Amino acid sequence: MASSAASLFDAGVIADRWIADYCASGGSDDMLCARGKGDAAWPAVFEELAALCGENLETARERAHRQAEDIGTGFRIAGEGEERPWPLSPIPLLIEEAEWQGIAAGIAQRAEVMEAVLADLYGAGTLVADGHVPAAVVTGSPFFLRPLTNLVPPGGYHLQAVAFDLGRGPDGSWRVLSDQLRAPAGAGYALENRLAMGQTLDGLQGRLNIARHAPFFAAFREGLAARCRRAEPRIALLTPGRLNPSYAEQAHLARYLGWLLVEGADLAVLDDRLYVRTIAGLKRVDALWRRLDPRLLDPLALDSHSTIGVPGLVDAMVAGNVVIANAPGAGLIEAPAFSAFLPRLAEKLTGAGLALPNIATWWCGQEDARAHVEANLDQLLIAPAFGVAPLGLPDGAPVLGAALKGDARAALLADLQRRPQDYVGQEVVHLSTMPVVAEDRLAARPFTLRVFAARGADGNWAVLPGGFARIGAHADARAAVMGEGMWSADVCVHGPDPVEPVSLLPSGDSTQLRRNPGTLPSRVADNLFWLGRYLERGEAQLGVIRALLGNSISADTGAALAADTVRRLSDILVSGNAAPVPRGLKRADLTHLARTALEDMEEGWYSVAAINAQARSIGEVSRDRLAADMVRLLDAPFPTRGGLLDKAGSLQRRYSALAGLAAEHMGRTDAWRFHDMGRRVERAMATLRFLRAFGRVDATSDDLGTLLDLADSQISYRQRYLTGIARVPVLDLVTLDPGNPRGIAYQIAAISGHLNKLPVLSDDGLAEPQQEQARELAAILVTAHATRLDDVTLAGLELRLAHLSDAIARRYFLQGAEPLRAAGLVLA
């Protein structure tokens, strides 16, 4: 107890010193304002940090980053191929419960006003007819979807989930900087921030009574389900795909909410109903939370150039058979131009002003507003009116009028005269600051707050307590300069009363038990199948490289294998397009061959590194199906230390770890069956290639030993045969022995077993084509004899295995334009 008390005292001393040093810098700061009112919340945060890392704040930042990385949080900059780690600050933003209640009420009011405006603009149109909204702001907006006019969305609401970016001024007042209605992103990041901070500052929840996120997500899930026609609806999150900047967040949200993560190709419309293509046929989808640009949703009704939408989706929505959140076209009032009219619309529709005002905005499509902007250009922010870059702002980003000089200023003013409706002027907002860790000390940085709201089952708005903060990289507190921010921070709403430990999961006693793992989309099955194939393919190629390195070019003994055996190893790599034909069989030639086949990523060879990149890309789109440890191993960088054998050994351990995770941690579901089938197919095909190269009638002992090495069967052979190596026993063990887990017979039996347990499309009891082919292969192996195995027989087995793989793909995976009304198709 004495030690604990001393530790707490030390943490308190360190926290007081940090705060004193920070406050000495002055500024308009949330923490300083709160301390001025005697709030003890901020000291509690720094005491927890000091208890965690002593006097080293960088340690706290590194731990927060590590926790975010362990959760799998990441993001991608548009145009970049690789994800970046999520930049989480170890210091949360604190907001008192009483202050938050006012923010939440203002958010709910704003969302309700926007719902009423959308209902009118896509319905009766009285706001335009009566002159409250200029017609050009509606019909001139690229976000206005004319095909959806006079449509009441299924469920009755245009908006189901919204987000707003808020800024706090130096005087402590909050204002709305922007509205996010088309596909509001970030709720998953708020959730992931909270999970990471819960691991970093685990004592803060009890000390500050921090409001939890789970009730919000439960309300969102129940609200969307309540809008559907069926009592137990199937809901999916529609993603643009893995290259979307927030794909990692979308995958995390889908898993947390228990919804399917789907792409446009996973979905099909039949008889004005939406279905997801699964391994068991078409399954009904009742609602979509879309994160796809609404113009790309349906190439038949909206943008005909879209290749990622679902043909007929708008028809299904018009028929009332699918709820889409948010309804296409809701982004109309997200445009900055609309901010100029929303305060007046709120007065008209509700009789009250906006509790959370937006920043003052002038739409230049009105003569008096344009004149005001031109006269006050140096005091305003100039931005595109509808999010599309006009000629005067070629980058499409808002700019400070005072920063425009010379030709850029002249170009803007000229285009402002020519097309004034393309521009808005906005006041320059100065933001409050919060503390961050910068170079092992506390520094003040400006921040903005993204807040989320969603409709519950009763139709009322639930507001996520907190959201997440984006923190600027520099001390300049102007919102326009801060941009998207440098760091992210958890936002904690704290109060005097203890918070009930609510979870999104229902209690065990109230949950209906089920052992059915749920729907498996065809695309997911395809990805898992090929993930298994790529992992086995990489491991097989690595085995050839290791055999070449370890036995052929030993630094101590020189060549250990006969030249013909070495040439066959080389030919396997060359025929697999892993490396060019070597000049000869000298050590330098073979080293270059092995290096290219192992790590080349520049010359286009199909190296182990290239195969791993394919596996990694599948891991990126399968985050909702794979364990975090498996995703981390797939994402791990290619080894760079040591020689070729060291790198090969490191990769082999990684492959073994991935195989172990799949074998011991994946539930025995249909998803696992496809992953395991992919492994079995690829392992069998690789072993057949090895047999044809090294199991020939004239095979030498070096050939047969290499074959046993590549088939990982040396120990099994030695245990059975003590008299030396011989061709027929080797072929029997590697090809026909059903008890050898690395042998071909074992792989075919496993594939056949998986296919027998997967769904079928008919109830006539007859085998489907893929099942028939697997049984035929198994029968050939059962009746074969090692003495009769020759190159023709082995080539025939390899061809049959390739046909079996194709049959699996035809039956279970997406095949583009395959008929929707296939025989026995299941519609559920």
Side-chain angles (χ1 to χ4, degrees):
M1 289 295 293
S3 175
S4 175
S7 175
L8 182 60
F9 174 76
D10 292 341
V13 171
I14 294 170
D16 287 343
R17 184 168 67 253
W18 282 341
I19 293 172
D21 292 343
Y22 179 76
C23 289
S25 64
S28 174
D29 190 286
D30 259 24
M31 187 178 80
L32 297 180
C33 294
R35 280 180 54 77
K37 295 182 291 185
D39 188 357
W42 281 106
V45 169
F46 289 106
E47 286 175 10
E48 290 290 329
L49 280 171
L52 170 71
C53 64
E55 299 194 16
N56 190 344
L57 282 167
E58 283 295 329
T59 300
R61 184 163 70 173
E62 290 171 3
R63 177 159 178 173
H65 286 183
R66 187 166 60 251
Q67 293 295 344
E69 184 177 351
D70 288 345
I71 293 170
T73 311
F75 72 106
R76 179 181 280 105
I77 299 293
E80 292 185 355
E82 298 295 324
E83 276 191 357
R84 296 186 180 189
W86 185 245
L88 176 62
S89 169
I91 304 173
L93 172 66
L94 302 183
I95 300 178
E96 292 180 352
E97 182 182 19
E99 182 179 12
W100 181 256
Q101 289 176 352
I103 295 173
I107 291 295
Q109 180 210 28
R110 187 177 187 87
E112 204 57 37
V113 168
M114 289 182 155
E115 176 68 48
V117 172
L118 282 169
D120 180 84
L121 295 180
Y122 279 100
T126 57
L127 294 176
V128 173
D130 294 344
H132 298 291
V133 178
V137 174
V138 178
T139 58
S141 171
F143 304 134
F144 177 62
L145 300 183
R146 191 179 301 274
L148 300 180
T149 54
N150 299 313
L151 168 66
V152 177
Y157 298 111
H158 289 82
L159 299 176
Q160 194 73 32
V162 296
F164 303 101
D165 289 330
L166 308 184
R168 185 174 186 177
D171 61 354
S173 63
W174 293 92
R175 284 188 289 176
V176 177
L177 303 178
S178 65
D179 306 304
Q180 308 292 328
L181 306 180
R182 283 181 294 165
Y189 290 132
L191 176 62
E192 291 167 338
N193 283 352
R194 176 59 53 86
L195 293 173
M197 290 306 299
Q199 297 294 322
T200 305
L201 303 178
D202 54 356
L204 206 57
Q205 175 68 46
R207 293 186 68 175
L208 297 185
N209 302 318
I210 296 171
R212 296 178 181 267
H213 288 349
F216 166 81
F217 288 103
F220 180 29
R221 189 169 64 179
E222 294 163 5
L224 197 50
R227 311 282 94 80
C228 300
R229 287 181 172 179
R230 296 198 301 174
E232 295 185 7
R234 183 178 287 113
I235 301 175
L237 190 157
L238 177 60
T239 173
R242 71 179 184 87
L243 295 181
N244 186 264
S246 62
Y247 179 81
E249 178 228 8
Q250 296 164 27
H252 184 84
L253 275 173
R255 183 168 52 215
Y256 182 70
L257 293 166
W259 294 347
L260 290 174
L261 183 66
V262 299
E263 297 180 21
D266 296 326
L267 303 172
V269 173
L270 186 65
D271 296 335
D272 289 342
R273 288 183 173 84
L274 182 66
Y275 297 91
V276 58
R277 306 169 196 244
T278 80
I279 61 169
L282 298 180
K283 299 290 185 180
R284 180 86 174 270
V285 174
D286 302 275
L288 287 177
W289 183 21
R290 61 167 182 81
R291 298 292 289 271
L292 191 65
D293 187 314
R295 292 168 293 187
L296 303 178
L297 277 176
D298 184 346
L300 298 182
L302 302 170
D303 188 342
S304 61
H305 296 94
S306 173
T307 60
I308 58 176
V310 186
L313 181 58
V314 169
D315 288 339
M317 189 182 89
V318 171
N321 292 323
V322 60
V323 177
I324 300 179
N326 288 329
L332 170 63
I333 57 174
E334 177 184 308
F338 238 96
S339 296
F341 306 98
L342 201 63
R344 193 163 63 236
L345 292 175
E347 290 275 1
K348 171 176 175 52
L349 295 171
T350 68
L354 290 171
L356 282 177
N358 44 256
I359 57 177
T361 303
W362 293 266
W363 177 56
C364 295
Q366 294 177 307
E367 182 61 32
D368 55 344
R370 180 178 64 81
H372 175 83
V373 170
E374 288 178 334
N376 298 275
L377 187 64
D378 289 340
Q379 287 75 48
L380 296 176
L381 181 74
I382 310 302
F386 301 104
V388 178
L391 290 178
L393 297 173
D395 293 335
V399 297
L400 294 168
L404 288 168
K405 305 294 182 183
D407 292 343
R409 190 181 186 95
L412 172 71
L413 290 173
D415 199 50
L416 189 58
Q417 288 288 336
R418 186 167 49 248
R419 289 188 58 86
Q421 68 271 22
D422 291 342
Y423 297 89
V424 294
Q426 295 180 314
E427 67 174 311
V428 177
V429 176
H430 289 263
L431 301 172
S432 180
T433 60
M434 66 174 287
V436 299
V437 177
E439 299 178 354
D440 199 27
R441 65 182 182 85
L442 295 180
R445 294 290 184 267
F447 70 91
T448 61
L449 172 63
R450 178 161 291 188
V451 184
F452 304 89
R455 282 192 197 279
D458 59 1
N460 294 324
W461 289 99
V463 179
L464 178 69
F468 77 91
R470 291 185 292 190
I471 306 169
H474 308 289
D476 193 323
R478 290 175 296 178
V481 175
M482 184 188 129
E484 290 295 310
M486 178 69 177
W487 294 286
S488 166
D490 186 22
V491 181
C492 299
V493 176
H494 63 95
D497 301 322
V499 177
E500 184 179 354
V502 180
S503 170
L504 185 62
L505 300 175
S507 65
D509 292 341
S510 65
T511 304
Q512 181 179 355
L513 297 178
R514 60 181 299 172
R515 292 179 180 172
N516 179 353
T519 303
L520 181 63
S522 295
R523 178 182 54 86
V524 176
D526 192 351
N527 285 336
L528 293 174
F529 180 82
W530 276 99
L531 177 61
R533 291 201 64 170
Y534 287 139
L535 292 175
E536 284 290 329
R537 185 175 297 176
E539 187 172 3
Q541 185 160 305
L542 183 67
V544 176
I545 295 169
R546 295 182 77 193
L548 195 65
L549 291 171
N551 295 325
S552 305
I553 50 176
S554 168
D556 298 327
T557 63
L561 292 176
D564 285 345
T565 303
V566 173
R567 185 174 291 108
R568 292 186 182 104
L569 284 168
S570 169
D571 288 346
I572 288 175
L573 295 176
V574 171
S575 64
N577 201 36
V581 177
R583 295 180 179 178
L585 299 182
K586 294 181 180 180
R587 180 179 175 185
D589 298 325
L590 296 177
T591 300
H592 181 266
L593 173 75
R595 178 173 288 109
T596 301
L598 181 70
E599 58 188 18
D600 178 79
M601 289 291 286
E602 302 297 331
E603 301 297 327
W605 298 107
Y606 197 48
S607 63
V608 172
I611 296 170
N612 284 359
Q614 290 178 310
R616 181 182 182 183
S617 67
I618 291 179
E620 288 180 350
V621 300
S622 305
R623 294 172 184 268
D624 58 323
R625 299 280 176 170
L626 299 176
D629 286 339
M630 201 165 186
V631 173
R632 276 194 291 273
L633 283 171
L634 291 170
D635 284 346
F638 198 82
T640 57
R641 295 184 178 180
L644 290 179
L645 275 173
D646 294 324
K647 295 175 183 177
S650 175
L651 287 170
Q652 182 57 53
R653 290 188 291 274
R654 190 181 300 177
Y655 282 128
S656 298
L658 285 163
L661 285 170
E664 297 298 328
H665 291 264
M666 289 185 75
R668 276 7 186 198
T669 62
D670 289 342
W672 168 77
R673 295 190 191 284
F674 279 99
H675 179 69
D676 197 62
M677 272 200 301
R679 285 184 174 275
R680 305 294 178 186
V681 168
E682 191 66 37
R683 186 180 300 171
M685 295 187 79
T687 305
L688 282 166
R689 288 193 292 272
F690 299 153
L691 278 161
R692 295 180 65 190
F694 301 106
R696 303 147 57 104
V697 175
D698 58 350
T700 65
S701 59
D702 279 354
D703 289 338
L704 296 174
T706 300
L707 175 57
L708 288 174
D709 283 339
L710 294 175
D712 199 15
S713 299
Q714 280 279 13
I715 294 176
S716 297
Y717 185 86
R718 291 173 184 173
Q719 288 176 339
R720 298 183 190 188
Y721 304 103
L722 306 179
T723 57
I725 197 165
R727 176 178 177 272
V728 172
V730 169
L731 264 61
D732 181 75
L733 175 63
V734 174
T735 311
L736 304 177
D737 189 337
N740 179 11
R742 306 295 296 188
I744 294 172
Y746 189 94
Q747 314 312 317
I748 300 304
I751 294 168
S752 184
H754 288 322
L755 291 174
N756 289 337
K757 292 184 178 180
L758 288 173
V760 294
L761 291 181
S762 63
D763 55 5
D764 56 16
L766 298 178
E768 292 187 339
Q770 71 280 358
Q771 294 172 320
E772 289 178 352
Q773 293 183 32
R775 293 171 187 177
E776 289 172 2
L777 256 176
I780 292 172
L781 292 171
V782 167
T783 57
H785 195 280
T787 58
R788 297 191 295 271
L789 290 177
D790 55 22
D791 188 70
V792 174
T793 304
L794 294 174
L797 289 173
E798 190 174 354
L799 183 60
R800 282 179 174 272
L801 193 58
H803 288 165
L804 173 59
S805 179
D806 290 342
I808 292 171
R810 280 194 302 272
R811 165 59 184 86
Y812 293 110
F813 306 154
L814 298 180
Q815 298 296 314
E818 84 279 19
L820 288 176
R821 291 191 180 275
L825 193 67
V826 178
L827 301 178

